[in-house]
Amino acid sequence: MGWRYKEVAYNVLQKFFGFHKWHVIPVEQRPYGMEIVKWCNRILEKDRNACNGKVIEVGCGLGDILAKINIKRENKTGYDINEKVIRAAKIVHPGIKFQVGNFAPDIKGERISIFITINFLYSLDYKIVEEQFKKLISNNDIKYIVTETMYPITSNYPYSHDFEKILGSKYTCIRKRGFSAAEHSRRYILLYKRREKNNEVTE
């Protein structure tokens, strides 16, 4: 399905379900989203062990990023707090598991190859984000984390998070790329890999 057709289809769904219009923009029109897809597919191609775990996205919207990641559909799960957009995502990408929920309280006991969370952390206070990530890492086996930070802060992006401090010594940033955002801010997409016992970090 081409992105123009998707945009038309998503507009129809938006009018029917009433979710936020921001979601109607397909991932093909979001350069940072396509970069995340590229990073994830490269991980799954090079790290064969990663193919046996799950890819989980929190704040998944209509699930466009998950849909483009090359892993079995039954190994993909998308969470969003908006019930309306989750109902639409199930129609757009059948076979992928979508559910209403948040990350720390709702994800436990999972073997996660890649955990993705973007497009909403800038609206949350630093302490909340730190607590949520600590619980998430404590309650699950997570190898790679894809997240973001915004800088400088603006009225649209009131919080900028330091993931070096949030994730601590357990993870190392192996990729980072910046993209232009509204109000002259920049969106920095970050890829972290868990440090192994021998402290060897590979891409």
Side-chain angles (χ1 to χ4, degrees), residues 36 40 44 50 53-61 63 65-67 69 71-80 96-99 101-104 106-118 120 133 136 139-147:
I36 290 170
C40 291
L44 294 168
K54 290 186 176 181
V55 175
I56 293 180
E57 182 181 6
V58 170
C60 65
I65 288 177
L66 280 175
I69 295 174
I71 195 170
K72 293 182 292 185
R73 288 195 168 205
E74 55 265 35
N75 285 16
K76 304 178 187 181
T77 303
Y79 291 84
D80 203 290
I96 298 176
K97 182 180 179 181
F98 292 103
Q99 62 187 77
N102 208 332
F103 53 113
D106 295 322
I107 304 175
K108 295 179 180 179
E110 299 281 11
R111 182 186 176 193
I112 305 171
S113 294
I114 307 172
F115 178 80
I116 306 166
T117 179
I118 59 168
F120 72 95
F133 267 92
L136 180 77
N139 292 334
N140 300 277
D141 176 4
I142 308 173
K143 191 166 188 180
Y144 295 92
I145 295 174
V146 180
T147 188

